[in-house]
Amino acid sequence: VSEYIFDKIDKGLHRLPDHPLGILKAVIENYFTSQHTEKGHFVMFDDLAPVVTTYANFDSVLVPVDHVSRSTNDTYYVTEDTVLRCHTSAHQLELLKNGHRQFLVTGDVYRRDSIDATHFPVFHQVEGVRVFEPHEWESRNISSLELASTELKTTLEGLVRHLFGDCEMRWVDAYFPFTEPSYELEIFFQGEWLEVLGCGVMQSSILDNASLGDRRAWAFGLGLERLAMILFDIPDIRLFWTSDTRFSAQFSAGMFKAGGVGMKKFASYSKYPPCYKDASFWLPDDSSFTENTLCELVRDAAGSLVEEVKLIDEFTNPKLGRTSNCYRFTYRSMERSLTDEEVNKIQEIVRARLESELRVTLR
Ligand code: FA5
Ligand code: MG
């Protein structure tokens, strides 16, 4: 785990009442508090520790032993059998076993991922779980699966309407090892469909493991940053980490208005100019090079000054049997203009580490 990531642990942005993530979390919790079920209110958790066992993060939610998400290319390992959780689903089984039947878990999660305006290696999720009793579907004369999936979609569509009023959204069939059927919800934002949550009907074997074999449950996991970007019109995910008061002064607890009607959006202060740097290199002959590793290296060298890392050209020389990649790095500060010297220095470090750590041959 790099210094840059390590430094983010325990920042607890979602527990700051005047931070956009804290504001949105409170709105979501209030929405679920208003959903009275026969079991009463949802129970809220927001300070479960982010270091979890590989059992909790993967096995407890049925992630196969050979699944890519387990690799060090995707997940930050702390020790051989502990990781920085890559999703809040890591807490599902433990909380069910502790007797909870409907709950939300909000927390920071960690992933090695690509770099652009909607991806960041540390982000926040809200997990929701609700368990149904046999009489709830029997009394309605429908199957347990139908009850859980219908209720799931209604609840989440209700949440989206509560947040945004009328907005363009669509359900997409998805796959998660821990739910069946599974869906993702996308919302139209900045000219593109943005995936905001994954959800589904919980696999029976998870309920079995919690001694709840005769019940049904739904679960969802939403990305708090993505929803906050839409709600407040925040253009770049790095802004959540800024200490610039031109950002923080625009947010306060209680500013949310239902459906977003009449709510003040974020007024972007002027964007500073970007600085582009390209690097072309031959990949090493083994298949050790990955984009995630590259992004991790750049994030470590540039911190939040890197805005995007993008593959712009790739070709294989058939005679040499070697592949060349050209990546474009976009550097831009959210707070100030960067100097040429500063960017050149970062890029020099990136280039040197590309050769020494990722063993590419710069062209
Ligand atoms: C999951 O993490 C599942 N655990 C969600 C789930 C829970 C499904 C319960 C079913 C039942 P996924 O990897 O798609 O799924 O991430 C969920 C959400 O997190 C995404 O929809 C997105 O909103 C957000 N997200 C994912 N990666 C990033 C990232 N790098 N930066 C910011 N947000 C992200
Ligand atoms: Mg997804």
Side-chain angles (χ1 to χ4, degrees), residues 96-128:
L96 287 171
K97 279 187 170 171
N98 288 347
H100 298 289
R101 298 292 174 261
Q102 44 187 25
F103 52 87
L104 298 188
V105 180
T106 307
D108 38 329
V109 302
Y110 300 78
R111 283 185 201 180
R112 303 179 71 178
D113 214 330
S114 46
I115 295 183
D116 64 28
T118 60
H119 289 80
F120 201 74
V122 188
F123 60 101
H124 296 76
Q125 287 187 334
V126 178
E127 188 86 7

Side-chain angles (χ1 to χ4, degrees), residues 84-331:
L84 293 175
R85 66 185 161 213
C86 73
H87 54 180
T88 41
S89 302
H91 300 287
Q92 283 185 6
L93 181 63
E94 155 203 7
L95 292 172
L96 287 171
K97 279 187 170 171
N98 288 347
H100 298 289
R101 298 292 174 261
Q102 44 187 25
F103 52 87
L104 298 188
V105 180
T106 307
D108 38 329
V109 302
Y110 300 78
R111 283 185 201 180
R112 303 179 71 178
D113 214 330
S114 46
I115 295 183
D116 64 28
T118 60
H119 289 80
F120 201 74
V122 188
F123 60 101
H124 296 76
Q125 287 187 334
V126 178
E127 188 86 7
V129 170
R130 183 181 167 192
V131 179
F132 296 89
E133 305 291 327
H135 75 259
E136 292 183 73
W137 60 83
E138 283 159 7
S139 67
R140 286 175 176 82
N141 244 321
I142 52 176
S143 72
S144 57
L145 197 65
E146 202 182 335
L147 173 65
S149 55
T150 309
E151 224 265 357
L152 171 65
K153 284 186 169 176
T154 315
T155 304
L156 291 172
E157 284 172 11
L159 173 64
V160 169
R161 295 249 146 65
H162 177 58
L163 294 175
F164 309 116
D166 277 328
C167 70
E168 271 193 89
M169 61 170 141
R170 68 180 186 196
W171 287 105
V172 179
D173 288 330
Y175 167 78
F176 299 102
F178 32 96
T179 49
E180 175 68 43
S182 306
Y183 312 98
E184 285 177 339
L185 185 65
E186 299 184 341
I187 295 181
F188 203 66
F189 177 64
Q190 289 184 356
E192 282 175 41
W193 288 102
L194 182 61
E195 178 203 317
V196 296
L197 66 84
C199 67
V201 178
M202 194 180 283
Q203 291 281 10
S204 305
S205 62
I206 298 179
L207 290 166
D208 280 343
N209 289 340
S211 312
L212 295 168
D214 60 337
R215 321 289 215 287
R216 274 286 183 187
W218 56 238
F220 69 82
L222 61 80
L224 213 43
E225 277 83 352
R226 300 259 178 103
L227 287 176
M229 288 174 80
I230 301 171
L231 184 64
F232 298 112
D233 219 2
I234 296 171
D236 191 294
I237 196 165
R238 290 173 296 161
L239 282 163
F240 293 103
W241 299 91
T242 186
S243 49
D244 194 319
T245 53
R246 287 175 296 176
F247 181 78
S248 52
Q250 297 194 39
F251 300 96
S252 57
M255 72 185 283
F256 173 74
K257 298 222 166 62
V261 179
M263 193 182 73
K264 255 185 64 198
K265 298 268 180 178
F266 172 63
S268 279
Y269 34 92
S270 61
K271 264 197 165 187
Y272 295 92
C275 178
Y276 304 104
K277 296 282 174 189
D278 291 354
S280 298
F281 46 82
W282 296 106
L283 303 188
D285 291 327
D286 53 30
S287 52
S288 60
F289 176 86
T290 68
E291 187 168 295
N292 278 2
T293 318
L294 169 67
C295 288
E296 177 70 4
L297 188 159
V298 181
R299 193 61 91 178
D300 196 38
S304 59
L305 298 182
V306 58
E307 178 169 291
E308 188 170 43
V309 174
K310 195 174 176 183
L311 180 65
I312 55 172
D313 189 38
E314 175 167 47
F315 70 89
T316 302
N317 180 319
K319 273 198 217 126
L320 301 172
R322 298 186 83 184
T323 299
S324 168
N325 279 357
C326 180
Y327 272 90
R328 173 156 299 164
F329 306 89
T330 307
Y331 298 104

